[in-house]
Amino acid sequence: EAIHREEGNRQNAKLLESMAQLQPKARCKTSNYRPLQHHTSPPPKFSDGSLVKALEEEGIGRPSTYAPIIQVLMSRSYIVRSSGRLVPTPRGHLVTTFLKHYFEKYVDYKYTSGMEEKLDKISNNELDWTFLLKKFWLNFEPNVSDVLQIRNSDIIDELDRILGDSLLSCLDLDSEDKRQCPSCQSGTLGLKLSMYGGFVGCSNYRSKSNPCNFGVPLDMCFDSSKALAKHEFDPNSLGLIGEDDEKQFYMKLGPFGYYIRAELKGDGEDIQTISLPKNVEPRDVDLVTAETLASLPKVLGEDSDKNEVFLGTNSYGMFVQCQNVRARLPAKVSTLELTLEDALVLIEEKGKVVRAKPGTSGSSGKKKAAKGGRARSGGRSKTKAGGGSKAKGKKNAFIAYMQDNKNRVVKDNPDKNWQECLKIIASEWKEVKKEK
């Protein structure tokens, strides 16, 4: 190995000597070339484990708080799990930007780590909690009061100033001026808020003289959350799809993604809206596809037992169903050419049992019982003996045991992380069940 290394060093030295003899603007003959291409990729998103490790390195949190931290972030829709990773949502991006701009001190890693150490001192009776709380509140309360004096519109403008360019660059608009509205050509694009959440919209959104309803949900704007959106933003797919003898079909984009709107000819009355399934691209929707989606759910026929087989759609895509067995349609399957036989094969190969919602039938979705919980015939609803569902809100026995004992186990094992403490609780629970 040393001989090969020495030989390689000699060849490199000869190459450097020959390159040193080159003169400026000298022409060289190409003896060989090899094209290479390299794409850089962003760092992977945190998983549960890598996030806990990062928090430990920064001195933030304790074994008993890591799981609640992640749970709070998910319960408030700041992050979602996708392919084993914790992906920030548009709401998470906006809240993080707001806090970093208006409460920079309190989201600083060092400040949070220092606060953790002070809380540890309080738990060890080394520091008075009233002193710490008073000192914190004297600085925090004026900061909150100052922010409360700022109008919401000014806060949105500031967030737009910070995030705007990065949001618009993700839309891949054709115009040179990324802020120019592609719909009305006169408005300016920016961050907007509505009762359904944030979106990138036109400045003429509420104009009386030149109203413009162009808007893009934030799911399609942030790079990290594009994978969460059902479709990518495609402005060329918006507008009139086609028309038949009675109706006109339009492709629209709303706060929850693309949808098809059917209007009566002449008066423009909105008679139907259909959410575009995840496995149907907006650019591929023609008049026939729009009419097919508008006709769903559609009965394809009956199986050998005289049970209806129907084609339906929801926010996850199109499916075929027979009684309570449902099979998702693969993207390559055309709904226009789908036959009863094809549907039965899909149900047989990929069908999964779906639970019907209370008061509905798994096959047709029609309500079984009237409001109030009684059947239409007047009889009381029944459940199988011994198989009734658990009372709503009743905790699992192990979860209740864990919540009652987690503080004790964590305190008795300060050198162990939360996963190890959880194993101890689980082993204790097994012993308790044996005794019972």
Side-chain angles (χ1 to χ4, degrees):
E1 183 179 349
I3 295 175
H4 288 300
R5 190 185 301 112
E6 185 176 351
E7 181 64 25
N9 291 336
R10 288 175 184 170
Q11 293 178 359
N12 290 335
K14 289 181 180 180
L15 181 61
L16 290 173
E17 289 177 2
S18 61
M19 291 179 65
Q21 297 174 4
L22 292 174
Q23 298 297 324
K25 298 183 179 181
R27 293 187 176 183
C28 303
K29 292 183 179 181
T30 303
S31 59
N32 189 18
Y33 69 91
R34 183 175 58 175
L36 295 175
Q37 187 177 20
H38 177 68
H39 295 280
T40 58
S41 57
K45 301 299 179 185
F46 283 118
S47 63
D48 291 54
S50 60
L51 177 59
V52 169
K53 183 179 179 181
L55 291 174
E56 287 178 339
E57 291 175 351
E58 295 289 346
I60 298 173
R62 295 297 180 263
S64 60
T65 62
Y66 292 137
I69 287 173
I70 297 175
Q71 184 59 40
V72 168
L73 292 175
M74 296 191 66
S75 66
R76 297 181 181 178
S77 299
Y78 296 150
I79 59 173
V80 295
R81 279 196 179 91
S82 178
S83 302
R85 297 289 175 176
L86 302 175
V87 181
T89 63
R91 177 184 292 185
H93 280 291
L94 291 179
V95 171
T96 301
T97 305
F98 171 80
L99 293 176
K100 289 176 68 175
H101 185 73
Y102 292 102
F103 297 91
E104 183 178 5
K105 170 185 174 182
Y106 299 100
V107 294
D108 182 73
Y109 293 154
K110 292 182 179 179
Y111 176 85
T112 308
S113 177
M115 182 62 72
E116 293 278 7
E117 293 176 357
K118 293 174 182 177
L119 293 174
D120 288 340
K121 290 182 178 180
I122 291 175
S123 63
N124 295 329
N125 291 324
E126 298 175 2
L127 183 66
D128 182 17
W129 68 269
T130 57
F131 171 77
L132 177 63
L133 190 60
K134 182 178 180 180
K135 185 177 179 181
F136 167 80
W137 187 250
L138 287 176
N139 296 319
F140 183 67
E141 195 273 337
N143 193 172
V144 174
S145 299
D146 292 342
V147 175
L148 288 175
Q149 300 301 317
I150 306 174
R151 294 187 303 174
N152 289 344
S153 58
D154 293 337
I155 292 177
I156 295 171
D157 291 341
E158 188 63 24
L159 295 179
D160 176 57
R161 185 189 64 80
I162 299 172
L163 294 171
D165 292 340
S166 60
L167 291 179
L168 297 170
S169 63
C170 296
L171 296 181
D172 298 326
L173 298 174
D174 296 332
S175 59
E176 295 182 1
D177 183 7
K178 299 299 182 183
R179 289 275 183 172
Q180 183 181 9
C181 177
S183 179
C184 67
Q185 303 295 324
S186 62
T188 302
L189 296 181
L191 179 65
K192 308 289 182 183
L193 291 183
S194 71
M195 61 183 296
Y196 300 106
F199 66 98
V200 172
C202 179
S203 57
N204 293 328
Y205 178 61
R206 294 179 177 176
S207 172
K208 295 181 179 179
S209 58
N210 185 26
C212 178
N213 293 327
F214 178 85
V216 183
L218 291 185
D219 280 353
M220 299 181 180
C221 300
F222 286 103
D223 279 330
S224 61
S225 61
K226 278 187 176 181
L228 308 178
K230 291 194 297 182
H231 305 95
E232 291 185 357
F233 176 64
D234 183 8
N236 297 323
S237 62
L238 298 173
L240 180 66
I241 299 172
E243 58 183 54
D244 57 18
D245 295 337
E246 298 179 353
K247 294 176 288 187
Q248 293 177 321
F249 294 90
Y250 294 87
M251 179 66 70
K252 299 289 185 178
L253 182 59
F256 304 108
Y258 285 98
Y259 65 95
I260 298 171
R261 188 176 75 188
E263 297 180 355
L264 287 176
K265 277 188 174 181
D267 56 7
E269 181 184 352
D270 184 2
I271 58 173
Q272 189 179 10
T273 56
I274 308 104
S275 177
L276 194 66
K278 189 174 183 179
N279 59 351
V280 179
E281 290 297 327
R283 67 178 71 91
D284 298 333
V285 177
D286 54 14
L287 178 60
V288 178
T289 306
E291 290 178 330
T292 302
L293 292 173
S295 66
L296 300 179
K298 179 175 68 175
V299 177
L300 300 175
E302 297 180 345
D303 64 0
S304 57
D305 296 328
K306 302 298 181 181
N307 296 314
E308 284 188 349
V309 178
F310 67 93
L311 173 66
T313 182
N314 56 22
S315 59
Y316 298 102
M318 306 186 72
F319 62 87
V320 287
Q321 184 169 333
C322 181
Q323 289 189 305
N324 63 338
V325 181
R326 179 181 296 176
R328 188 73 50 202
L329 256 66
K332 61 182 179 181
V333 175
S334 172
T335 57
L336 305 179
E337 301 172 358
L338 185 71
T339 63
L340 174 62
E341 290 73 20
D342 296 332
L344 291 173
V345 171
L346 281 172
I347 291 173
E348 181 68 25
E349 293 179 351
K350 301 183 178 181
K352 295 181 180 180
V353 176
V354 293
R355 294 181 180 180
K357 294 181 180 179
T360 63
S361 166
S363 59
S364 64
K366 295 180 180 179
K367 292 185 178 180
K368 271 187 172 181
K371 189 175 181 181
R374 296 179 182 271
R376 291 184 185 273
S377 60
R380 295 180 181 273
S381 59
K382 298 180 181 180
T383 56
K384 294 181 180 179
S389 60
K390 295 180 180 180
K392 187 176 181 181
K394 185 177 180 181
K395 289 184 179 179
N396 178 282
F398 172 71
I399 298 296
Y401 180 84
M402 179 193 67
Q403 292 178 343
D404 293 339
N405 294 274
K406 65 179 182 180
N407 292 334
R408 172 183 60 80
V409 174
V410 170
K411 187 176 181 180
D412 294 343
N413 301 273
D415 57 329
K416 297 185 182 297
N417 59 33
W418 170 240
Q419 296 296 332
E420 293 171 331
C421 292
L422 189 58
K423 290 180 180 179
I424 295 174
I425 296 174
S427 61
E428 291 181 358
W429 172 246
K430 289 180 180 180
E431 296 298 327
V432 171
K433 289 186 68 177
K434 287 180 180 179
E435 294 176 1
K436 292 182 177 179

